[in-house]
């Protein structure tokens, strides 16, 4: 490992981003349930209260609605709050403040006010937490003009995207995945940013493109590795931010590979995969397609508890291999 | 209003069942036999048992993420509970719900809840049904101190009050919401003061004294059955174990935990029963034996049960 490269977990990368931004800008502060001495349910803010004090790391009462609304109110008046909602499922409790208020203020007020807030939250299944602690609700948010939606899949991206989200002048919902917190990855020791709206080609390939985000990126990459042993060359693209979406990079890839599979954990019905599919269909890539675009998504059911059921509810590596295998033979 | 001798013995047995059941769950969480998370009720047994003793089998309860105690006190079948915790097809929710979602609507248990405060308006809804159908029932609505700061708590207590709903709101004040001490989350010490702002009776009781809980809830139940509407009862108690599966417990001291353990609701009640000559040491030993064997039976039943088949995965999304 070169001297200027460090290896951090996704959790540590997020913490580094928070620390750097709080050091850089005195208006940045955090609030949320149990983020202080507990360090947040997933340990992201562990140690930050000791470092920055209770004024900057605010433990809130158990009140999601006011967490979202108060973040908005302080953002409107000059602060840059990073609010944490412990589980993505509970953003629903703050939904009025997020959807009816935060998302719309800049536009409704004729562009004369801004809401530079970040709402961090943990989504996804795979921990046996069942139907009310495992959802992937990004499609609800992507539907709302005015919100930006970020879903990092690596420690590198988590760090760079969180810093950019904090500096963005809009409400950004930053969706972390529970199963990624302990994943390790490399990044420069020196400061860097990852811009919102820039997809990343995670792996070059020629036979088909997989667009995957969040936890589905490592699964797609693992599947692509196995497929390469069978002589199938897969390009994997991680949009990293769903809003704004870098559709051009996806379109370019499809023009090269002529086949597209979109993979996400959330339910298929009304899922963000449908939006990506439509955008590619409506683009110049349409004429290049050699097969219908396919989606591989979570089933249209609540997340069940029992481990065997839970696993079968969302796409796994083998499902991706199967879906790609079908896609590359179809005309 | 003292319960009969046999009721007292039953109460003791239930408290002990909760304690031993939860100890088994704790063991299974550590060993990974239980896959998801679990929130243990150890130390708070007197609340569920005292409160549920004050109602009849056809009354309703709503419960929380920390719901095993309410479930047992409402008369749940340990076999089906343990099966649910192990994710088995024979569980209360066919393995689909797990610890945070055990429910038995037919038996009046409207469900545990993964969302803090989620059960409070549901209790109001059950209260509406009771009134509209002219049933003589009541609802016991359990929740923690954390839930008292959810917006829906305020909306629900107000609605119950203005509509005169037969709901008893029971706050289990175990001093913490996860790591957040009540002294951080509230600027009042006595949470029952909030009742005044909704125009309903509010009272704070020693939640580790099962007979005091029984007495206060009985009064509130009588009040509701008389058509006089809701009450708010705050039971002061303590969570002995960590919040859930993993908890470094940096937010409290060992001395504090030890102090509360000395105030064990089970020991207190056991001591009372011995003092009054209601139970002998020998009878207590016998009860202990029965409880242990019922839990062993539940574990065997759960472990022998099959996991749900994959065919059930997409069943029950919609009612047909
Ligand atoms: C709406 C919501 N926010 C956060 C959580 C995560 N969480 C689960 S239990 C809990 C603390 C609840 O405290 P309290 O209501 O006092 O009940 P206790 O756990 O002490 O029994 C938290 C923050 C949740 N389940 N639901």
């Amino acid at each position: 490992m070169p001297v200027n490269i460090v290896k951090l977990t996704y959790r540590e990368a997020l913490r580094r981003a928070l620390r750097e931004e709080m050091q850089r800008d005195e208006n940045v502060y955090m609030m949320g349930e149990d983020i202080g001495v507990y360090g947040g349910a997933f340990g992201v803010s562990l140690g930050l209260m000791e470092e920055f004090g209770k004024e900057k790391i605010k433990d809130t009462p158990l009140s999601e609605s006011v967490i979202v609304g108060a973040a908005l109110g302080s953002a409107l008046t000059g602060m840059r709050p990073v609010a944490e909602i412990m589980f993505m499922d509970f953003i629903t409790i703050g939904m009025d403040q997020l959807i009816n208020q935060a998302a719309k203020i800049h536009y409704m007020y004729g562009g004369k006010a801004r809401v530079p807030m970040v709402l961090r939250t943990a989504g996804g299944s795979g921990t046996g937490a069942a139907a009310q602690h495992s959802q992937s609700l990004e499609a609800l948010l992507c539907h709302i003009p005015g919100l930006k939606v970020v879903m990092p899949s690596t420690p590198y991206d988590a760090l760079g995207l969180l810093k950019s989200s904090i500096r963005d002048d809009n409400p950004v919902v930053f969706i972390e995945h529970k199963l990624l917190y302990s994943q390790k990855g490399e990044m420069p020791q020196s400061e860097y940013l990852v811009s919102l709206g820039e997809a990343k080609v995670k792996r070059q390939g020629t036979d088909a493109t997989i667009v995957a985000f969040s936890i589905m990126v490592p699964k797609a990459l693992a599947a692509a590795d196995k497929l390469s042993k069978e002589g199938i060359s897969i390009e994997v693209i991680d949009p990293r931010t769903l809003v704004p979406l870098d559709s051009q990079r996806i379109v370019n890839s499809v023009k090269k590979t002529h086949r597209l599979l979109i993979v996400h954990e959330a339910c298929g019905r009304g899922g963000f995969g449908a939006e990506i599919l439509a955008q590619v269909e409506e683009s110049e890539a349409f004429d290049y397609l050699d097969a219908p675009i396919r989606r591989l998504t979570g089933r249209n059911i609540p997340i069940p508890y029992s481990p065997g059921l839970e696993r079968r509810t969302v796409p796994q590596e083998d499902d991706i291999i199967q879906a790609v295998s079908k896609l590359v033979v179809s005309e | 209003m003292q319960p009969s001798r046999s009721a007292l013995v039953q109460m003791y047995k239930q408290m002990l069942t909760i304690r031993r059941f939860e100890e088994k769950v704790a063991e299974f969480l550590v060993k990974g036999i239980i896959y998801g998370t679990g929130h243990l009720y150890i130390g708070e047994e007197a609340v569920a048992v005292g409160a549920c003793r004050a109602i009849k089998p056809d009354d309703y309860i709503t419960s929380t993420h920390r719901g095993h105690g309410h479930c047992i006190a409402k008369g749940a079948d340990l076999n089906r509970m343990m099966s649910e915790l192990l994710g088995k097809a024979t569980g209360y929710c066919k393995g689909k719900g797990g610890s945070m979602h055990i429910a038995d609507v037919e038996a009046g248990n409207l469900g545990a809840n993964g969302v803090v405060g989620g059960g409070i308006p549901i209790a109001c809804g059950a209260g509406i049904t009771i009134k509209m159908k002219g049933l003589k029932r009541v609802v016991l609505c359990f929740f923690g101190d954390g839930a008292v700061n959810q917006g829906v708590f305020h909306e629900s207590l107000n609605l119950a009050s203005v509509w005169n709903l037969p709901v008893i709101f029971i706050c289990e004040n175990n001093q913490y919401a996860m790591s957040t001490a009540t002294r951080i989350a509230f600027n009042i010490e006595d949470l029952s003061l909030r009742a005044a702002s909704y125009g309903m009776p509010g009272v704070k009781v020693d939640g580790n004294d099962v007979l005091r809980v029984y007495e206060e809830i009985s009064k509130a139940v009588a009040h509701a059955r008389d058509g006089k509407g809701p009450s708010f009862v705050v039971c002061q108690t303590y969570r002995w174990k960590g919040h859930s599966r993993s908890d470094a417990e940096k937010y409290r001291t060992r001395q504090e935990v030890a102090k509360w353990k000395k105030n064990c609701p089970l020991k207190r009640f056991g001591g009372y029963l011995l003092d009054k000559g209601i139970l002998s040491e020998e009878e207590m030993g016998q009860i202990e034996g029965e409880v242990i064997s019922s839990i062993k039976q539940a574990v065997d039943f759960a472990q022998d049960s099959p996991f749900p088949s994959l065919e059930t995965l997409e069943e029950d999304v919609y009612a047909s």
Side-chain angles (χ1 to χ4, degrees):
Chain A
M1 205 158 65
V3 281
N4 52 349
I5 294 290
V6 289
K7 204 168 193 182
L8 294 181
T9 61
Y10 188 85
R11 171 188 291 117
E12 289 162 344
L14 291 164
R15 192 182 306 144
R16 178 177 146 190
L18 292 161
R19 178 185 291 118
E20 286 179 2
E21 290 308 293
M22 283 191 287
Q23 282 165 347
R24 188 187 60 82
D25 180 350
E26 62 177 19
N27 293 321
V28 178
Y29 75 98
M30 295 178 65
M31 70 169 139
E33 293 161 12
D34 305 288
I35 64 169
V37 65
Y38 199 98
F42 299 97
V44 171
S45 54
L46 207 64
L48 292 181
M49 192 192 68
E50 289 75 2
E51 197 176 332
F52 290 94
K54 288 186 175 163
E55 190 66 13
K56 284 282 168 78
I57 311 293
K58 296 184 193 297
D59 261 330
T60 66
L62 210 163
S63 315
E64 283 79 9
S65 175
V66 76
I67 292 172
V68 180
L72 150 56
S74 77
L76 186 63
T77 48
M79 302 301 285
R80 289 192 170 267
V82 181
E84 176 174 308
I85 299 291
M86 198 181 286
F87 287 81
M88 182 167 207
D89 312 73
F90 312 142
I91 61 166
T92 54
I93 297 166
M95 231 31 160
D96 166 53
Q97 291 296 323
L98 188 63
I99 290 185
N100 297 328
Q101 317 288 347
K104 296 175 173 51
I105 279 190
H106 185 65
Y107 186 84
M108 251 173 2
Y109 292 5
K112 288 184 185 149
R114 50 196 62 203
V115 181
M117 63 180 271
V118 178
L119 197 63
R120 286 183 43 245
T121 193
S125 66
T127 64
Q132 294 175 340
H133 284 76
S134 305
Q135 294 175 89
S136 300
L137 298 174
E138 65 273 10
L140 296 181
L141 304 166
C142 291
H143 191 65
I144 305 302
L147 295 181
K148 294 191 177 181
V149 181
V150 179
M151 293 183 80
S153 68
T154 64
Y156 178 95
D157 289 345
L159 193 157
L161 289 167
L162 183 52
K163 285 169 69 82
S164 295
S165 300
I166 292 170
R167 296 182 193 191
D168 198 281
D169 276 341
N170 296 282
V172 177
V173 185
F174 192 93
I175 306 168
E176 299 156 16
H177 198 290
K178 299 177 192 92
L179 298 185
L180 290 174
Y181 282 119
S182 298
Q183 299 289 315
K184 285 193 171 158
E186 293 184 353
M187 66 204 61
Q189 202 155 32
S190 56
E191 187 176 25
Y192 68 95
L193 296 169
V194 174
S195 307
L196 307 190
E198 264 184 40
K200 187 166 185 174
V201 178
K202 303 290 292 186
R203 185 186 205 286
Q204 306 260 359
T206 51
D207 294 331
T209 300
I210 298 179
V211 171
F213 44 89
S214 190
I215 188 72
M216 291 300 149
V217 174
K219 290 188 185 182
L221 287 171
D225 273 349
K226 289 207 178 134
L227 286 159
S228 76
K229 296 193 182 103
E230 295 166 33
I232 300 171
S233 163
I234 300 299
E235 182 141 313
V236 177
I237 297 189
D238 176 2
R240 303 194 286 193
T241 67
L242 303 187
V243 182
L245 179 68
D246 184 358
S247 40
Q248 194 55 50
R249 205 153 288 182
I250 299 171
V251 165
N252 292 347
S253 173
V254 175
K255 281 162 73 179
K256 181 173 81 173
T257 65
H258 304 187
R259 288 177 162 86
L260 175 61
L261 175 71
I262 303 154
V263 187
H264 62 63
E265 170 166 347
C267 304
R269 186 170 61 227
F272 197 72
E275 177 61 28
I276 297 175
L277 187 153
Q279 290 200 20
V280 174
E281 281 266 332
E282 289 164 2
S283 77
E284 76 248 29
F286 179 74
D287 291 330
Y288 292 78
L289 285 170
D290 285 344
I293 302 172
R294 294 289 175 204
R295 286 178 295 160
L296 178 66
T297 68
R299 297 186 192 226
N300 295 317
I301 61 175
I303 304 289
Y305 166 66
S306 200
L309 296 184
E310 186 190 30
R311 222 186 113 70
R312 296 313 311 159
T313 301
V314 302
Q316 303 297 339
E317 196 184 308
D318 287 348
D319 303 314
I320 301 176
I321 292 175
Q322 265 185 28
V324 171
S325 306
K326 269 196 216 150
L327 183 69
V328 292
V329 297
S330 64
E331 283 297 322
Chain B
M1 273 216 297
Q2 174 87 348
S4 66
R5 183 191 176 274
S6 75
L8 290 169
V9 173
Q10 270 308 311
M11 287 163 79
Y12 178 74
K13 189 170 179 182
Q14 271 188 341
M15 286 173 70
L16 190 66
T17 303
I18 296 171
R19 177 68 57 94
R20 298 288 175 258
F21 185 89
E22 295 292 63
E23 285 166 354
K24 187 51 82 178
V25 172
E27 177 193 325
F28 282 2
L29 282 167
V30 170
K31 290 185 178 158
I33 294 172
I34 291 177
Y35 162 61
T37 190
H39 304 84
L40 302 173
Y41 200 64
I42 295 177
E44 307 183 34
E45 297 90 345
V47 181
V49 170
C52 288
R53 182 56 50 177
I55 59 170
K56 299 190 183 138
D58 64 356
D59 290 321
Y60 297 111
I61 67 165
T62 63
S63 168
T64 68
H65 57 285
R66 199 174 302 289
H68 307 162
H70 310 138
C71 215
I72 291 171
K74 186 74 173 88
D77 171 22
L78 299 184
N79 293 6
R80 294 177 68 196
M81 275 183 76
M82 192 57 89
S83 285
E84 190 57 38
L85 296 182
L86 267 57
K88 297 300 183 78
T90 50
Y92 267 111
C93 313
K94 303 181 194 167
K96 285 177 169 165
S99 166
M100 284 190 285
H101 304 295
I102 297 179
D104 188 3
V105 173
E106 272 168 41
N109 179 353
L110 304 185
N113 212 305
V115 181
V116 172
I120 309 179
I122 297 174
C124 290
I128 290 172
T129 305
I130 291 169
K131 280 195 85 169
M132 293 187 74
K133 289 191 183 283
L135 306 170
K136 279 273 164 227
R137 296 181 193 167
V138 298
V139 191
L140 299 187
C141 173
F142 293 99
F143 48 86
D145 44 281
V148 174
N149 283 325
Q150 282 286 31
V152 78
F153 166 88
H154 303 276
E155 297 175 27
S156 300
L157 269 73
N158 184 60
L159 187 87
S161 179
V162 296
W163 286 2
N164 211 34
L165 300 174
V167 182
I168 296 88
F169 297 98
I170 304 172
C171 174
E172 302 178 306
N173 181 1
N174 61 13
Q175 316 304 321
Y176 292 92
M178 213 158 139
S179 70
T180 309
T182 47
R183 67 178 175 278
I184 295 174
F186 295 87
N187 255 344
I188 50 173
E189 242 170 67
D190 178 0
L191 308 192
S192 74
L193 290 178
R194 289 210 177 159
S197 65
Y198 312 110
M200 69 172 75
V203 61
K204 180 174 89 167
V205 297
D206 177 353
N208 282 9
D209 180 344
V210 70
L211 292 176
R212 277 290 294 133
V213 174
Y214 169 79
E215 194 184 324
E216 278 310 326
I217 302 293
S218 296
K219 274 192 227 161
V221 166
H223 185 82
R225 285 204 213 280
D226 278 355
K228 293 181 188 151
S231 307
F232 182 33
V233 181
V234 178
C235 302
Q236 301 291 108
T237 182
Y238 199 77
R239 153 166 70 68
W240 284 20
K241 298 283 184 175
H243 170 70
S244 61
R245 183 190 273 285
S246 55
D247 181 351
E249 297 184 56
K250 287 196 289 181
Y251 49 85
R252 63 184 187 184
T253 62
R254 283 190 190 172
Q255 292 89 310
E256 184 187 284
V257 178
K259 189 193 94 192
W260 276 93
K261 282 189 175 172
K262 282 204 194 113
N263 180 11
C264 171
L266 189 60
K267 279 221 184 94
R268 275 175 72 180
F269 190 45
Y272 170 87
L273 296 176
L274 285 173
D275 271 3
K276 295 275 165 190
I278 294 167
L279 279 179
S280 64
E281 296 272 4
E282 198 189 348
E283 286 166 319
M284 272 192 178
Q286 201 177 330
I287 291 172
E288 175 90 37
E290 288 166 19
V291 165
I292 302 270
S293 91
S294 68
I295 287 163
K296 187 179 177 315
Q297 200 188 338
V299 169
D300 290 345
F301 176 83
Q303 290 190 320
D304 291 344
S305 293
F307 281 108
S309 82
L310 284 181
E311 278 88 81
T312 66
L313 192 53
E314 300 199 345
E315 278 174 10
D316 298 328
V317 179
Y318 296 96
S320 50

